[in-house]
Amino acid sequence: MRKVQKILLAAVLTCSASGVFAQDINAKAFSLSNAGGWWNGNIQLVSDANGKTVISMGDGPCCSETGEVGPAFSTGDNGWQYYNVNTHAGYRITGFTISAKLNGSLFAGEYEGSRGVAENSGGFEFTAYQGGSTLLTRRWTQMQLQGVETHQVSGQANLPSSFSLDVGAWQAARAEGVSFPYCSPFDCYDRWGAYSSASLKVSDLTLTVHTAPVPEPETYAMLLGGLALTGFLARRRQRKAQQPA
């Protein structure tokens, strides 16, 4: 399994998505200012109400797919989008949720009792950080996926008013045919056969930003005043109850 992970990771790191820069996002409680990156999706604000701001990130870097009759071949793709986050006065960001759909296929060919190789790997993540220190991060990683699955990860934290946010997705695939010995009247060597294939695509990424209002100073003053008055009245009732009839 470690060998599989190293090979698939190498495929991801050696290929990058050729996407476009995403636009800024301006919501009621915060703004996301584009700080660069490569992405393959159409990013847009979907909804912004009740403490949840939903942002469609489109698809991740476009699909990794390979099919081989011969020696092993790997392919991979990754994409990242970077933002500077600034919270508006009267609000705070309390956490993030990111979800995505993963579609994978695996087919390992067989020939005379030998089996080829079909592997895939992919995932998505978000990371909030400030000054080189990670504030909050969550990641979903999927390996050997056959079919379609939807997953999400969430995290909550006491985040500052300004910080950076990275959103990323990646995928990789590897396939290898089956080799078998072949002898002619003149020589013996290995031949390749039994087609194998693998693919993975990360799509429909959705980022949800969780927010909450921050009470104004006047609200705190009223709350403290109310508590003080409640305490005074409680003590007064207690003294009256203790007086002799």
Side-chain angles (χ1 to χ4, degrees), residues 104-181:
S105 67
L106 298 165
F107 177 76
E110 295 186 21
Y111 183 83
E112 294 185 350
S114 296
R115 189 176 179 86
V117 175
E119 300 164 346
N120 62 27
S121 176
F124 53 91
E125 73 171 61
F126 71 81
T127 300
Y129 59 95
Q130 184 185 62
S133 299
T134 298
L135 304 171
L136 179 64
T137 184
R138 293 291 186 273
R139 164 184 287 215
W140 180 271
T141 300
Q142 186 84 40
M143 297 189 69
Q144 297 303 96
L145 176 62
Q146 181 73 278
V148 180
E149 295 182 4
T150 299
H151 297 283
Q152 74 173 33
V153 289
S154 300
Q156 288 75 43
N158 185 20
L159 296 167
S161 59
S162 298
F163 57 92
S164 298
L165 177 69
D166 294 353
V167 178
W170 63 93
Q171 63 233 336
R174 177 176 179 266
E176 182 176 0
V178 177
S179 65
F180 56 93

Side-chain angles (χ1 to χ4, degrees), residues 62-92:
C62 187
C63 31
S64 294
E65 182 173 4
T66 183
E68 280 298 307
V69 176
F73 180 79
S74 299
T75 180
D77 220 350
N78 65 349
W80 296 88
Q81 187 58 45
Y82 313 117
Y83 288 105
N84 294 320
V85 184
N86 291 288
T87 310
H88 298 162
Y91 294 93
R92 62 189 178 95

Side-chain angles (χ1 to χ4, degrees), residues 2 26 28 33-34 50 90 115 118 128 130 185 188 235 245:
R2 289 183 179 178
N26 291 304
K28 180 179 180 180
S33 301
N34 174 30
N50 302 320
R115 189 176 179 86
Q130 184 185 62
C188 289
R235 289 193 297 272

Side-chain angles (χ1 to χ4, degrees), residues 4-6 67 73 77 88 96-97 100 111 126-127 158 163 168 185-186 208 219-220 232 235 241:
V4 172
Q5 291 175 332
K6 289 181 179 179
F73 180 79
D77 220 350
H88 298 162
F96 297 95
T97 297
Y111 183 83
F126 71 81
T127 300
N158 185 20
F163 57 92
F186 308 100
T208 301
T219 304
Y220 282 116
F232 170 76
R235 289 193 297 272

